[in-house]
Amino acid sequence: MTEEILRAISSEVYGVWFLIGAALVFWMQAGFAMVETGFTRAKNAGNILMKNLMDFCIGTVMFILIGFSFLLGEDLLGFIGKPGFDIFTAYESFDWSNFVFNLVFCATTATIVSGAMAERTKFLSYCIYSGVISALIYPIEAHWIWGGGWLAQIGFHDFAGSCAIHMVGGISALVGAKILGARIGKFERDKSGKVIKVNAFPGHNLPIGCLGVFILWLGWYGFNGAAATSVSELGSIFLTTTVSPAVATIVCMIFTWLKYGKPDVSMCLNASLGGLVAITAPCDVTDCFGAIIIGTVAGLLVIFGVWLLDYKLHIDDPVGAVAVHCLNGIWGTIAVGLFATDTAPAFSRGFGDGVSFGANQIAGTGLFYGGGFKLLGIQLLGLLSVAAWTLVTITLTFIIIKALVGLRVSEEEELQGLDPVEHGLASAYSGFSILDVSNTMTMDINQNTSLGTSDYEMASEAQKNAAISVVKQTSAADADIHKVVIITRLSRYDKIKNALNELGVTGMTVTQVMGCGIQKGSGEMYRGVEVDATLLPKVKIEVVVSRISVDSVVDTAKKTLYTGHIGDGKIFVYSVDRVVKVRTGEEDFAALQDVE
């Protein structure tokens, strides 16, 4: 009796955890929305938020109507679940928990595609293919793996969806991005059509993107762990789900640091997700060592995938969905056949009787743990079958949508941004000044700006004047009040502020501006691509002096700003010929009008 009570309590506890896990997976929708929004441009933020909202809502409707029965209905020849409407006709005995759990996974598959096709896809077209993925493409292949279909029957193992969800979403993203074409300005081509340059489109809000990654990582504990049936299984799954992305991120950081000179923020965020995707299939049957190796490869695959799409395939994927989900979905599926071990607490439950198998069971240990090639062969067979199914069905879907309603917005709409043209939204950041300057202001520039010496005292007068030019404007010979405007690099602000304070200047007006000149705007790397912007962040400092010699202000500024390069700064001197003094208490204020 005691054992029966404990089993009943345990069943109830894990039933509740099952639903909590489903809620965590739903919360991942917020993570995907934040990552995609942060990694793209501000003018499309509202459109991206709307897409991430609607793929779940559309997916829910399609899953109710047909998707759930195709996935978990009575098996028909190992290929598809029997269509049915038990959710309407037999609600009192319906498996509510299973429905909700599988629904949130289905929505994840659809939202992966959004990132790779962001910033140029018609909203209507997105809604259509999102519905098709949720109704047909995902439920049928997921039935093969989790619904008692032919792959489950031979011992194929994909515990939480590296193959069924992430690879499927990643392949769909790859096909969609290829058919759709790159964003305007992403690739520069010569007259023959050959790509001669890849341009970077930096994400407009990496803090939001980072928040999205942390939300996804948190949700992944439910994604991978919700189906656990014991504390030991859950603990092991949590361990591998933590180790793999952590190692992937470190590997990516080291590699980008060595290759590009600085650790790449967005690439490392992608690597965290790549490590999570890769561990999703083997999370219950691998150990810590296996998770480390899986994460190491995942981090490298993210870097390789981004490079491959940009420089070899010339496919524009704004958020790295293909590198994260497609390549690491494939790797995670294969990793089961390499690293599955009987020391993992879930293995014995998964192995079953070793003859006949069901969902989440497994045909043996991995190649590196003495199991030979049997399990690896099964994993490869399942991977190729699901990939072929996805490739054919999603390609047909995109071709039909393109023929009927079109996939891509017009060039004018893309340049303007999808927020106003698709949703009547002036900006997702109402009240903030948003200027999209990425790849919109380029010019031929002379990068050889060095004047030969960075020492101000050693520089000749010509070198000083070339680095920091002074423009004087006079209006009255006896003017004793001057306004000095200094424009220089943002990085020199503290130095010039302190130098002017020491000179006796007690008041100044400071404005952040963007400047375009002879110097190259940026030689930094973003996701392995040089950011080709000629707009530099600058600071404009305005001071008014009378008792202090204007020449001393100019000399101090020149000496402080000088680094030995053309374009170190520019100084404008204006004489003031009219002063209106206003007495307020014991202080004098001057309202100054510059002479144009």
Side-chain angles (χ1 to χ4, degrees):
M1 179 67 71
T2 302
E3 290 182 1
E4 292 178 0
I5 293 173
L6 290 175
R7 280 197 296 268
I9 293 173
S10 179
S11 176
E12 289 297 314
V13 168
Y14 280 97
V16 172
W17 162 244
F18 188 68
L19 289 175
I20 292 173
L24 286 171
V25 177
F26 167 75
W27 179 232
M28 291 172 70
Q29 291 290 130
F32 281 116
M34 293 299 96
V35 169
E36 187 179 344
T37 302
F39 278 28
T40 51
R41 291 171 290 182
K43 63 184 179 181
N44 301 303
N47 172 260
I48 288 165
L49 297 175
M50 187 68 171
K51 288 193 301 180
N52 279 271
L53 172 65
M54 293 313 300
D55 67 46
F56 181 81
C57 296
I58 291 172
T60 297
V61 173
M62 300 310 296
F63 208 61
I64 290 171
L65 294 177
I66 194 170
F68 182 71
S69 58
F70 277 171
L71 199 167
L72 290 177
E74 180 184 346
D75 180 57
L76 297 177
L77 303 175
F79 178 74
I80 193 172
K82 181 180 179 180
F85 296 96
D86 289 352
I87 193 171
F88 299 116
T89 60
Y91 188 74
E92 70 281 356
S93 58
F94 189 70
D95 192 349
W96 314 291
S97 297
N98 226 6
F99 174 85
V100 173
F101 185 74
N102 283 281
L103 165 63
V104 293
F105 276 82
C106 179
T108 300
T109 309
T111 201
I112 289 169
V113 187
S114 173
M117 300 176 67
E119 302 200 278
R120 72 266 199 213
T121 303
K122 286 184 176 181
F123 181 68
L124 174 60
S125 302
Y126 176 81
C127 291
I128 294 173
Y129 73 69
S130 181
V132 173
I133 291 172
S134 299
L136 296 172
I137 298 175
Y138 167 76
I140 291 176
E141 54 86 9
H143 175 81
W144 302 351
I145 298 170
W146 295 323
W150 68 277
L151 285 177
Q153 294 169 18
I154 63 173
F156 178 83
H157 189 80
D158 182 13
F159 187 69
S162 289
C163 177
I165 295 172
H166 296 286
M167 188 189 76
V168 169
I171 290 175
S172 300
L174 177 64
V175 173
K178 176 62 177 177
I179 294 176
L180 192 62
R183 291 168 292 175
I184 296 170
K186 177 64 178 178
F187 301 110
E188 294 182 18
R189 301 177 184 271
D190 59 18
K191 293 181 180 180
S192 65
K194 180 182 178 181
V195 173
I196 56 175
K197 191 174 188 303
V198 180
N199 290 317
F201 285 71
H204 85 280
N205 197 329
L206 282 183
I208 281 182
C210 182
L211 174 63
V213 170
F214 279 113
I215 290 173
L216 287 169
W217 198 328
L218 172 64
W220 232 286
Y221 290 115
F223 200 96
N224 285 358
T229 58
S230 70
V231 174
S232 59
E233 286 183 19
L234 188 59
S236 177
I237 290 169
F238 269 42
L239 185 150
T240 57
T241 302
T242 303
V243 170
S244 177
V247 172
T249 308
I250 292 172
V251 169
C252 181
M253 179 192 70
I254 293 172
F255 189 94
T256 56
W257 205 334
L258 293 174
K259 184 172 179 60
Y260 306 127
K262 295 178 182 178
D264 190 294
V265 178
S266 68
M267 200 91 81
C268 287
L269 293 172
N270 273 156
S272 298
L273 299 180
L276 288 163
V277 169
I279 201 62
T280 296
C283 63
D284 65 322
V285 293
T286 192
D287 57 15
C288 184
F289 177 76
I292 290 172
I293 303 301
I294 290 168
T296 300
V297 175
L300 295 174
L301 277 176
V302 166
I303 302 167
F304 170 75
V306 171
W307 170 84
L308 178 68
L309 262 67
D310 277 350
Y311 289 98
K312 296 300 177 182
L313 302 180
H314 305 308
I315 296 174
D316 185 12
D317 178 1
V319 304
V322 175
V324 170
H325 298 281
C326 181
L327 296 188
N328 278 295
I330 292 171
W331 164 234
T333 307
I334 295 172
V336 174
L338 300 175
F339 299 102
T341 171
D342 56 10
T343 61
F347 184 86
S348 58
R349 174 176 61 85
F351 190 65
D353 60 11
V355 179
S356 58
F357 303 94
N360 285 335
Q361 293 192 324
I362 194 167
T365 54
L367 176 64
F368 297 151
Y369 288 81
F373 289 93
K374 178 183 178 181
L375 179 59
L376 180 60
I378 292 172
Q379 294 298 115
L380 290 172
L381 174 63
L383 184 154
L384 293 173
S385 301
V386 174
W389 162 260
T390 306
L391 188 63
V392 171
T393 53
I394 198 63
T395 301
L396 289 174
T397 299
F398 284 133
I399 290 174
I400 293 171
I401 293 174
K402 186 176 182 179
L404 294 178
V405 299
L407 269 177
R408 185 165 183 155
V409 298
S410 68
E411 180 176 339
E412 180 181 352
E413 290 171 332
E414 182 180 341
L415 291 173
Q416 184 180 354
L418 302 187
D419 285 2
V421 300
E422 291 278 22
H423 308 286
L425 184 67
S427 171
Y429 301 93
S430 181
F432 291 86
S433 176
I434 299 296
L435 175 63
D436 177 19
V437 297
S438 58
N439 298 93
T440 59
M441 190 174 184
T442 58
M443 62 189 231
D444 292 332
I445 45 183
N446 177 11
Q447 297 180 45
N448 185 20
T449 62
S450 176
L451 292 167
T453 178
S454 59
D455 188 333
Y456 184 80
E457 302 300 335
M458 296 292 294
S460 67
E461 197 63 32
Q463 289 173 321
K464 295 174 183 177
N465 291 334
I468 306 153
S469 58
V470 180
V471 180
K472 291 189 176 181
Q473 178 176 326
T474 59
S475 60
D478 58 347
D480 59 353
I481 300 178
H482 293 83
K483 177 181 178 182
V484 182
V485 179
I486 304 166
I487 299 176
T488 187
R489 300 175 183 179
L490 186 61
S491 61
R492 309 297 290 181
Y493 168 63
D494 279 338
K495 292 183 179 295
I496 185 66
K497 178 188 68 174
N498 293 334
L500 291 177
N501 283 338
E502 290 178 6
L503 188 63
V505 176
T506 57
M508 63 182 68
T509 300
V510 181
T511 309
Q512 280 190 251
V513 295
M514 299 294 287
C516 183
I518 193 170
Q519 285 189 345
K520 183 174 177 62
S522 175
E524 302 297 332
M525 306 295 288
Y526 177 79
R527 302 176 67 79
V529 177
E530 187 175 4
V531 180
D532 187 17
T534 55
L535 286 174
L536 283 159
K538 292 179 178 287
V539 62
K540 180 170 71 172
I541 302 170
E542 300 171 275
V543 300
V544 176
V545 294
S546 58
R547 295 185 178 87
I548 301 173
S549 166
V550 69
D551 289 335
S552 64
V553 173
V554 171
D555 291 342
T556 298
K558 290 183 68 174
K559 185 174 182 178
T560 305
L561 303 179
Y562 184 83
T563 66
H565 290 82
I566 298 173
D568 277 342
K570 183 163 287 191
I571 301 171
F572 298 87
V573 179
Y574 302 91
S575 295
V576 180
D577 67 350
R578 184 162 66 89
V579 179
V580 180
K581 293 184 177 179
V582 181
R583 185 80 176 171
T584 305
E586 297 181 356
E587 298 179 357
D588 285 331
F589 295 89
L592 308 178
Q593 177 179 345
D594 296 337
V595 176
E596 299 297 333

